[in-house]
Amino acid sequence: MLLFFTLGLLIHFVFFASIFDIYFTSPLVHGMTPQFTPLPPPARRLVLFVADGLRADALYELDENGNSRAPFIRNIIMHEGSWGISHTRVPTESRPGHVALIAGFYEDVSAVAKGWKENPVEFDSLFNESKYTWSWGSPDILPMFAKGASGDHVYTYSYDAKREDFGAQDATKLDTWVFDNVKDFFHHARNNQSLFSKINEEKIVFFLHLLGIDTNGHAHRPSSRDYKHNIKKVDDGVKEIVSMFNHFYGNDGKTTFIFTSDHGMTDWGSHGAGHPSETLTPLVTWGAGIKYPQRVSAQQFDDAFLKEWRLENWKRLDVNQADIAPLMTSLIGVPFPLNSVGILPVDYLNNTDLFKAESMFTNAVQILEQFKVKMTQKKEVTLPFLFTPFKLLSDSKQFNILRKARSYIKHRKFDEVVSLCKELIHLALKGLSYYHTYDRFFLGVNVVIGFVGWISYASLLIIKSHSNLIKGVSKEVKKPSHLLPCSFVAIGILVAFFLLIQACPWTYYVYGLLPLPIWYAVLREFQVIQDLVVSVLTYPLSHFVGYLLAFTLGIEVLVLSFFYRYMLTAGLTAFAAWPFLTRLWTRAKMTSLSWTFFSLLLAVFPLMPVVGRKPDISLVMGAGLLVLLLSLCVVTSLMKRKDSFIKEELLVHLLQVLSTVLSMYVVYSTQSSLLRKQGLPLMNQIISWATLGAYCNCQCILYGGKTWRRNGLGKNQFLRTSSLVVPLLSSPVLFQRLFSILLSLMSTYLLLSTGYEALFPLVLSCLMFVWINIEQETLQQSGVCCKQKLTSIQFSYNTDITQFRQLYLDDIRRAFFLVFFLVTAFFGTGNIASINSFDLASVYCFLTVFSPFMMGALMMWKILIPFVLVMCAFEAVQLTTQLSSKSLFLIVLVISDIMALHFFFLVKDYGSWLDIGTSISHYVIVMSMTIFLVFLNGLAQLLTTKKLRLCGKPKSHFM
């Protein structure tokens, strides 16, 4: 069985990784020839301002007094330049946004493994193509463009990363630092001949990355006075820099200014998903080569923003974020970034029609070059009779469009040139997508075949080894034939040869060959399949159809809950009614009422707003007080017992209560400190990390570490253990151990909470305890075994396997309950399929300086805490119902895999970027859940069965 789980884990890792080969591969190609407009550019230099995290509405709208928060920018819109909305794509994070702005393509998701900071692949950019680029701002953004540049012509000036503190007194200092350093730079240039000559060259770029708005948005929300005040500060700074540039260059009219943002921000201070508040960013341009404001009487847009912003009389020119890169390159006359997929927005250009036509033609040729390279690469590794070219853009059609465009330019039909080039660009982009996804169907089919085979094999193993379904159906054992293995070996050789001659990557061999051993294992159990069919045919058809429909309905409810959280409420409401639809109500009224009450109470959470949108520390304090009240009841009952063994457990509980009190204090004092803009107190930070990672350190100090050495844990090793060690000191009696686990995890969960979600683990744990009781009642009702008192049941590492029973039909319901509770634990307080569900305020007790991996790890642990509570309760259910953990766990894996197969078919690469990103996230989440089940099942066994002693040798406990 250990071998089965190991192989199962490896197979699931392959299925999980497949989504990255199918959907998350890099779209970039290399080997293109640089393309640039053959006419003199209108500007010698370009200044790019990127206000990180600035929403379009926050910049353009007027305040309650009818005044603009950015009067200088608004004056530019009305009197000097052009404006519009830049539409970003998911994920709305800083790195993908800047890559789209400066390199002209949309970041592939492999960059998430680098924390959106460094280059997972090499790419060309505006900075690389410029003669010189000087940049000031965040150390998270600037280095990635400097590292990717060829030569030594991109210069960066960054502040210390520790300045990016969400709890800092004034985040506007980040922007003030940038403005001050730019001024100092130009002041220094007047006295440095070498630098002076460089900044007077043509084709140069100045990049100012302004992080203050994003930092204030995360810390205080976009509706806060701090966020809005920061916009005013940025507006003042931009005004000063523009004035300085004009003065330094003698108002030569050769400077272009572009002001935009990498992404927006939700009302609750997060970004990453596809909400309009995240994807709509401002774009304001003025200076050399930019069209002056155009007054219009009416504009056609699907939104009401123009009227809200009182800009309905100034022409709005919307673009996609990647379109800004070709706009900037055409303005200063450098080659288009080689990997750019942006379409030049000619309506922004104030130049001759010939310049617009030539620039558009260059843009089309540059994107067509990428299409040709991509097609050649795919053609070289595909057998000629299997290669299917992109029919909408054949070689002859390419030639005809380019020839016609050149003819139009010659005959001065410039509007026709622009229209024809846009058509060619759209066809080339479709072709790029076609060849990028060329192998998707092949890979998808292989993964689906493997998935179905694995689900079939796991189901057969359950039926064969853990149920009575086919016992006595067939006694005949047939001698295995050599034809089956020989056939699969031959198929494997053919598949490997087919992949070899096409020079496929090694991962293709894994996806192509993996289904073969899986299906071989399935077909080897042909006798079991035969017996199963015979057994099913003897079962009443109406019962069989009824159970199948109920199972299918349950799976669909689980799948729908990933899209609609209220489906969890519907499911929990159905759970609440379950005892009244069976005989449980007549046998155990108090247990049934408790089950109904806590099911309905838990059903409220999915109906509440996603965590972080409405923070309320009073609810966190209330949850802490409830924990203390429960602890008091338990400690009171323990104090009535006299023996020394219980006194040690009492000490453990008291330490856990103290940890809860400290957590409440830290949450309250940290919130107060941040509101006063005094940052995160050092003592609070120490207590938080001690609670999370070294909670048992106090015991180690109290007992000098000697006991831990006797139990095989050296002092250094012990200090590295987490707070999960504490429950191992408590009694292995079922209720006491589960309560100790809850106390240990709640102290950490309180530190990671900002509102009502602090109550979620408490309600969930109460329902879990009632679940353990009610499963005992159902088992006794069915006559499978006699009821045991929970106070007499102890968790045991060495369980007597003779007490395990075979699976019954009702055990499928138990496994379904577990999967449903796991999904509820994931989605009960938010939709983690959307990146913007995460609230950075959750980690402010631990750190306030931006650190994506550390913050992500803390928030992931917050998500996993309810998961651990459910798995520990599941261990208790298996123990009290005398089920082998392997048998019930196999059913859970089958249900999870059926869900994963659902989401694999629901993954799509069309529609809105929010829909695409969400569909992929769902598959990743359910596959991660399946893999985590294996690890968390082992963690739950460790937490419930292991016993450490503060003195003496550890005792073993048996049922």
Side-chain angles (χ1 to χ4, degrees), residues 913-929:
W913 281 95
L914 176 61
D915 293 339
I916 295 169
T918 301
S919 68
I920 295 172
S921 297
H922 285 156
Y923 177 76
V924 171
I925 288 167
V926 77
M927 284 304 299
S928 300
M929 187 176 76

Side-chain angles (χ1 to χ4, degrees), residues 7-8 11-12 14-15 18 442-458 510-522 897 901 904-905 923 927:
L7 291 174
I11 290 169
H12 280 86
V14 171
F15 291 157
S18 68
F442 167 75
L443 295 174
V445 167
N446 278 281
V447 171
V448 168
I449 292 172
F451 243 128
V452 174
W454 167 257
I455 294 170
S456 303
Y457 179 66
V510 176
Y511 305 135
L513 296 174
L514 182 62
L516 295 177
I518 295 176
W519 277 102
Y520 172 68
V522 171
D897 286 338
L901 193 57
F904 188 85
F905 284 114
Y923 177 76
M927 284 304 299

Side-chain angles (χ1 to χ4, degrees), residues 639-656:
M639 289 179 68
K640 294 178 181 178
R641 301 172 67 176
K642 303 294 184 182
D643 54 89
S644 60
F645 183 73
I646 296 303
K647 287 180 181 177
E648 293 178 2
E649 295 170 7
L650 181 60
L651 177 61
V652 172
H653 282 300
L654 289 175
L655 288 170
Q656 290 178 315

Side-chain angles (χ1 to χ4, degrees), residues 446-493:
N446 278 281
V447 171
V448 168
I449 292 172
F451 243 128
V452 174
W454 167 257
I455 294 170
S456 303
Y457 179 66
S459 302
L460 289 173
L461 189 63
I462 294 169
I463 293 165
K464 179 183 177 181
S465 305
H466 300 281
S467 75
N468 295 315
L469 192 61
I470 61 171
K471 297 292 170 66
V473 175
S474 175
K475 300 295 183 182
E476 183 182 354
V477 179
K478 294 183 179 180
K479 187 177 180 180
S481 170
H482 294 293
L483 179 62
L484 186 65
C486 290
S487 301
F488 274 89
V489 169
I491 295 171
I493 292 171

Side-chain angles (χ1 to χ4, degrees), residues 30-90:
H30 301 283
M32 291 80 67
T33 305
Q35 305 289 327
F36 58 91
T37 306
L39 296 175
R44 290 175 60 86
R45 68 199 70 90
L46 181 137
V47 183
L48 173 63
F49 301 96
V50 177
D52 203 304
L54 176 60
R55 293 162 47 148
D57 59 345
L59 179 73
Y60 293 140
E61 69 186 4
L62 303 178
D63 62 20
E64 55 275 5
N65 299 320
N67 299 320
S68 173
R69 297 190 188 97
F72 176 75
I73 297 293
R74 193 170 184 91
N75 182 68
I76 293 293
I77 293 172
M78 294 180 173
H79 300 101
E80 294 187 40
S82 296
W83 76 285
I85 290 177
S86 169
H87 296 264
T88 71
R89 286 190 180 181
V90 175

